[in-house]
Amino acid sequence: MTGGPKPAGMSFPFAAPPGPGEAIEIAKGILWMRLPLPMALDHINVYAFADTDGWTIVDTGLGSKTTRVMWESLIKGPLAGAPVVRVLVTHHHPDHIGNAGWFQSRGAELMTTRTAWLFARMLTLDEQDRPLPETTAFWRAAGMAEDMLTQRAGERPFNFADCVTAMPLGFTRMIAGSVVQLGGRDWTVRLGQGHAPDHLVLFSNDGQFVLAGDHYLPTISPNLGVYATEPTADPVADWLDSHRALQVHLTDAQLALPGHGLPFRGLPFRAEQLIENHVSALNRVEAFLTTPRTAVDCFQTLFKREIGPGEYTLALVEAMAHCLALWHGGRATRHVTDGGRWLFETKEAANAQGQGSAHRPK
């Protein structure tokens, strides 16, 4: 082996993000901009790539009047009035795909995975005035308290259509292994899993950049959640598998362009850190399941802090994901009570009591 030691840890070449209506030039032909989000995670990064016929933008922010006013300002300002001809969406979550339909209505081509487009299109058309019975049953299974269930059953739930503009028919499919050109560079398309199905992660073929979306974030781990649409999914295993598969493509030279936080170098270190975060979380939850527990019972053990009302739903779906990962992996059993609660317990404890269903093999 030759050469010196590889740099450890992470570095951040940009000390601060762009201000409202402003852009930072990452490199020739690549602009970094920010849009606000009305939540604890208060921003999303969006990127613009200069091509011969106009701009290609990556991700779009929530579909709101406020965001579209900001886009108009960015188009007139940093984008110098040139047309947005393509919109590349990394995954189907509202803060990323929220204004894709608006850009399409202005003539832009939408580029994303088939899975992301189908999910977003389906969810924007599936507007509900009250939670579906399947949803309340899933919340009960996860351990939501009955008084909270009663309250939520009478309230209008979050709907995609609340913050994602209508999406017209038509998109261009992004396929793993294909090569696309953005900003005068060739990029290889790869897919992550777990946070969202078929999450786009693009690697520039010159080895300089990774368009990371929410797959690689510098300071937080993306939410891995299970929902009533697929109540026994295993996104934690999907996420770990895809991260490990992509590790061979990571180098310290690459600048990661994430969906949130600051661009950073040190992807090999950060990927290992993210993997260890969820491995450790699984181990903590497993150690806690010496007696039967619901996913909600695991909040303090999993997150190591109190969970407030504003983050309760995301905590619930992530706690369920970790409990199910242990069940799928044969490290825990699941017992369904007469009241519809899912109780998880380590195999050893369950065997001692003669309870628990066998895990579902992968």
Side-chain angles (χ1 to χ4, degrees):
M1 183 177 295
T2 59
K6 292 182 178 179
M10 300 161 63
S11 63
F12 298 85
F14 301 95
E22 299 176 351
I24 291 175
E25 186 176 56
I26 296 287
K28 183 176 174 57
I30 305 177
L31 299 182
W32 166 34
M33 300 165 289
R34 269 200 175 175
L35 299 169
L37 296 177
M39 55 191 74
L41 184 58
D42 63 2
H43 70 274
I44 179 172
N45 296 325
V46 296
Y47 302 93
F49 293 81
D51 290 305
T52 56
D53 54 349
W55 293 96
T56 299
I57 63 168
V58 176
D59 291 332
T60 69
L62 290 177
S64 68
K65 183 177 180 181
T66 298
T67 305
R68 288 190 287 274
V69 168
M70 292 196 69
W71 267 120
E72 295 282 12
S73 176
L74 290 168
I75 291 168
K76 293 175 183 176
L79 303 189
V84 173
V85 293
R86 280 170 296 277
V87 175
L88 190 153
V89 172
T90 57
H91 59 295
H92 77 277
H93 291 166
D95 52 332
H96 295 261
I97 206 167
N99 286 295
W102 178 70
F103 278 107
Q104 284 182 280
S105 72
R106 297 160 63 100
E109 170 192 7
L110 173 60
M111 304 168 65
T112 192
T113 65
R114 178 181 288 168
T115 306
W117 187 83
L118 288 172
F119 256 99
R121 173 80 173 170
M122 177 270 291
L123 289 168
T124 54
L125 298 175
D126 186 24
E127 193 168 354
Q128 301 160 15
D129 182 64
R130 293 293 183 271
L132 294 174
E134 295 89 347
T135 300
T136 55
F138 180 75
W139 290 339
R140 178 174 285 109
M144 184 180 286
E146 286 296 329
D147 57 346
M148 185 179 293
L149 273 170
T150 300
Q151 176 186 337
R152 292 196 174 197
E155 297 174 344
R156 186 179 189 274
F158 165 78
N159 285 277
F160 243 59
D162 296 339
C163 57
V164 176
T165 56
M167 298 179 62
L169 288 174
F171 76 106
T172 298
R173 183 186 177 193
M174 305 284 283
I175 302 172
S178 61
V179 176
V180 298
Q181 191 171 83
L182 301 173
R185 288 177 171 84
D186 288 335
W187 302 71
T188 296
V189 177
R190 297 189 171 96
L191 300 180
Q193 305 294 341
H195 176 62
D198 292 348
H199 183 304
L200 286 172
V201 186
L202 272 62
F203 291 73
S204 68
N205 290 1
D206 60 10
Q208 293 191 52
F209 303 101
V210 175
L211 264 172
D214 286 357
H215 199 65
Y216 300 108
L217 298 175
T219 58
I220 60 174
S221 179
N223 181 260
L224 308 180
V226 175
Y227 298 85
T229 46
E230 191 180 351
T232 57
D234 193 357
V236 175
D238 292 342
W239 188 87
L240 288 170
D241 288 346
S242 69
H243 263 272
R244 288 167 176 150
L246 290 177
Q247 279 184 297
V248 297
H249 303 292
L250 305 180
T251 73
D252 287 303
Q254 294 159 331
L255 180 65
L257 306 179
H260 310 277
L262 299 175
F264 65 96
R265 288 192 173 90
L267 271 168
F269 174 86
R270 182 55 178 157
E272 191 60 45
Q273 193 177 53
L274 286 165
I275 290 168
E276 176 56 29
N277 177 59
H278 284 288
V279 170
S280 297
L282 288 171
N283 291 339
R284 289 198 306 275
V285 174
E286 182 181 20
F288 181 64
L289 297 179
T290 53
T291 59
R293 315 274 191 177
T294 66
V296 169
D297 292 334
C298 298
F299 277 5
Q300 184 65 44
T301 297
L302 179 59
F303 302 109
K304 297 189 286 189
R305 58 185 172 84
E306 293 296 323
I307 298 299
E311 54 192 347
Y312 182 93
T313 300
L314 286 177
L316 180 149
V317 298
E318 182 142 9
M320 184 66 104
H322 284 78
C323 289
L324 284 168
L326 294 171
W327 179 57
H328 282 290
R331 297 166 62 181
T333 62
R334 187 191 71 171
H335 171 66
V336 183
T337 71
D338 291 340
R341 305 282 177 176
W342 293 4
L343 299 179
F344 297 91
E345 191 175 14
T346 60
K347 289 181 67 176
E348 293 77 9
N351 289 338
Q353 300 183 42
Q355 288 189 340
S357 60
H359 72 279
R360 293 179 62 198
K362 297 299 258 183

